[in-house]
Amino acid sequence: MSSVLLVEDNSTFRKSLKEMLALRFPEMVIDEASDGEEALQKLENTDPDLIFMDIRLPGKNGLEVTRIIKKTNPGVEVVILTSYDITEYRVAAFNSGASHFFTKGNSGSDEIADFVRSALQRKGRAAEASHRAGKD
């Protein structure tokens, strides 16, 4: 079974992303954290396939948290989600170990779902990835 961790301080956006993922990937376990410290605590007991990480978080920012995560779990894919489509943020995200970068206002649910589907297939979870393909 695949799992994802959503690290986002905006509860409305986090809930919306969770609902979209749950609809398209019904077998997926979706956990949530509202800041970096909570995310790091959750990662002590879980091993998600994907982590969606906001850059601007209370306390440690998403780039710091991504660096910490990638040191202890280099196989997890961290996807940066931000409202700020700034070249410096993209460069910093990839330098921190993120595998992908989405801008909240410009990335639609189809694009995010396609990425998740592809990531699950790369991790050998093809059956889950194709479960709801194209049924949105």
Side-chain angles (χ1 to χ4, degrees):
M1 183 175 305
S2 61
S3 64
V4 67
L5 175 62
L6 309 177
V7 185
E8 169 65 57
D9 61 329
N10 181 318
S11 61
T12 303
F13 182 82
R14 192 175 64 239
K15 180 180 177 189
S16 175
L17 180 59
K18 182 177 182 175
E19 288 173 355
M20 182 276 292
L21 291 171
L23 177 67
R24 293 174 187 230
F25 305 96
E27 289 91 23
M28 180 180 281
V29 174
I30 304 169
D31 202 0
E32 303 173 60
S34 61
D35 62 43
E37 289 298 328
E38 183 181 4
L40 293 172
Q41 289 173 352
K42 288 184 181 252
L43 289 171
E44 292 176 7
N45 301 313
T46 61
D47 187 22
D49 297 298
L50 291 169
I51 299 173
F52 284 92
M53 179 78 63
D54 189 13
I55 287 182
R56 299 185 113 195
L57 295 168
K60 286 183 170 68
N61 70 49
L63 300 175
E64 292 174 279
V65 176
T66 297
R67 280 191 292 277
I68 293 167
I69 290 169
K70 294 302 283 187
K71 283 182 184 175
T72 59
N73 191 348
V76 70
E77 285 200 55
V78 179
V79 179
I80 296 295
L81 282 168
T82 183
S83 298
Y84 305 95
D85 192 5
I86 302 169
T87 302
E88 291 83 2
Y89 274 14
R90 286 180 180 270
V91 170
F94 293 120
N95 286 341
S96 296
S99 60
H100 206 77
F101 186 99
F102 282 114
T103 306
K104 292 176 186 175
N106 297 330
S107 302
S109 57
D110 288 341
E111 182 182 2
I112 293 170
D114 287 346
F115 172 80
V116 170
R117 208 170 280 114
S118 175
L120 293 178
Q121 288 172 342
R122 285 191 301 276
K123 292 186 170 286
R125 303 195 188 278
E128 286 181 69
S130 63
H131 180 77
R132 297 272 313 209
K135 297 182 182 178
D136 316 318

